[in-house]
Amino acid sequence: MARERDFGPIQLADWLGLEPRDVRRAQARGLIPPPDIDDERWSLTLAKTLPDRIEEIVSALGGRGSGQASATAPAPGAAGSGFGRANSGKGARGRAFGPIQLAKWLGLENWQVPRAVQHGVIPPPDVDDKRWSYTVAATLPDRVEEIRAAVGDHPGLGSIKAAEHLSRRTQMEVERVDVQALADRGLLRPIAEFKGHPMYAVGDLDGLAEEQITATVRERHAWIAASLTTKEAAALLGWPVGKFEVTAERLGIRPGALGRYAREDVEALPDQPGRT
């Protein structure tokens, strides 16, 4: 289940159509209550009490015009509940939404919008390949539950965090390369990417059979026992690292997993100390 929205100072200011400095001033004067989450963030429940008091807050701060933006600020409440009303003003249909703006409008987490595009439940941006037009965005509020069901309530784990998760689950030392090996074998499917790196669903990680994880970890240990790093291979031969790397490349000897060389390939090379 998705966590209820909350707001930092800048997010709350944007949501209310105020400037961040106005939020700070209003809080100092008691016009906006203190944050109720870890003394840093406002819950959605508390934030909902504020939009009806925007004019009062702006007037108390000296009648600044910063509050005028509230006329087009997203309405509080359930996802998309005020979408049509907030955009019914003149020029609304000319608006375009970036991914963060669209997430706020729909009551979604920021990561859920690009994930939903990947899953095909939100269409790709139709304005400069970066933003969504009002025409497209207006079709989405009624589909928020469908979108949430498609993308889930967790952004997923990268391979390092996934390995840590599996380690806690199995009490084994699972490493990032083990997660990658499981994916290479088709036992684990990425659900998305973040900056080019695969992300894995917690449910898929929990669905892996423990024997599959155990076998993968054991194969890694077996390979480490049967292989050498570049430095270890050079030391075994009594060569500088550079000589080993150049010689191995010339002879077509390539490193395997983890950048390690099979010990038998290294031992087959000539000129080891004591070899005649």
Side-chain angles (χ1 to χ4, degrees):
M1 184 175 180
R3 180 175 61 85
E4 183 183 70
R5 279 180 79 184
D6 56 37
F7 303 80
I10 294 177
Q11 293 169 311
L12 184 65
D14 183 61
W15 195 64
L16 295 174
L18 298 172
E19 294 294 331
R21 62 178 175 272
D22 291 338
V23 169
R24 293 192 296 270
R25 293 171 63 217
Q27 185 183 346
R29 297 186 187 189
L31 300 167
I32 290 179
D36 59 334
I37 298 178
D38 298 329
D39 295 326
E40 295 179 351
R41 304 179 69 81
W42 287 263
S43 68
L44 179 60
T45 300
L46 181 55
K48 284 181 183 179
T49 67
L50 300 175
D52 291 339
R53 297 181 48 237
I54 289 296
E55 294 305 321
E56 172 195 346
I57 293 170
V58 172
S59 176
L61 292 177
R64 296 172 52 126
S66 59
Q68 296 302 312
S70 64
T72 56
S81 62
F83 191 93
R85 294 192 302 276
N87 277 283
S88 60
K90 182 178 179 180
R93 294 183 182 277
R95 286 193 70 180
F97 300 80
I100 294 177
Q101 292 171 312
L102 187 63
K104 288 182 179 179
W105 275 103
L106 297 176
L108 298 173
E109 299 292 338
N110 290 346
W111 63 267
Q112 288 177 312
V113 168
R115 180 74 52 82
V117 173
Q118 292 175 351
H119 283 261
V121 289
I122 287 181
D126 61 323
V127 179
D128 301 327
D129 294 327
K130 296 179 180 179
R131 295 175 295 158
W132 287 263
S133 66
Y134 171 82
T135 301
V136 172
T139 67
L140 300 175
D142 291 339
R143 299 178 50 224
V144 167
E145 292 310 313
E146 173 193 350
I147 293 169
R148 283 201 178 106
V151 303
D153 58 4
H154 193 287
L157 301 174
S159 54
I160 294 177
K161 292 295 184 181
E164 293 173 356
H165 182 82
L166 292 177
S167 293
R168 289 191 294 271
R169 177 187 156 197
T170 62
Q171 302 302 307
M172 298 181 64
E173 292 185 4
V174 183
E175 296 188 2
R176 178 181 189 178
V177 292
D178 300 321
V179 174
Q180 294 168 337
L182 288 163
D184 291 341
R185 292 167 188 165
L187 300 173
L188 195 58
R189 182 178 64 86
I191 58 170
E193 289 188 353
F194 179 70
K195 296 184 178 180
H197 300 290
M199 304 290 287
Y200 302 96
V202 174
D204 290 344
L205 293 168
D206 290 340
L208 287 169
E210 188 161 337
E211 54 266 28
Q212 294 172 328
I213 303 170
T214 300
T216 301
V217 172
R218 285 177 177 170
E219 286 178 16
R220 171 169 55 83
H221 286 306
W223 168 243
I224 290 175
S227 63
L228 300 165
T229 66
T230 303
K231 288 184 178 181
E232 289 170 344
L236 176 65
L237 296 168
W239 295 353
V241 170
K243 179 179 179 180
F244 168 73
E245 290 181 344
V246 170
T247 302
E249 183 176 355
R250 287 173 179 167
L251 295 176
I253 299 175
R254 300 285 183 265
L258 306 175
R260 300 173 68 91
Y261 293 83
R263 178 181 286 273
E264 61 181 4
D265 290 341
V266 176
E267 292 178 343
L269 289 171
D271 299 329
Q272 288 190 62
R275 177 171 291 181
T276 59

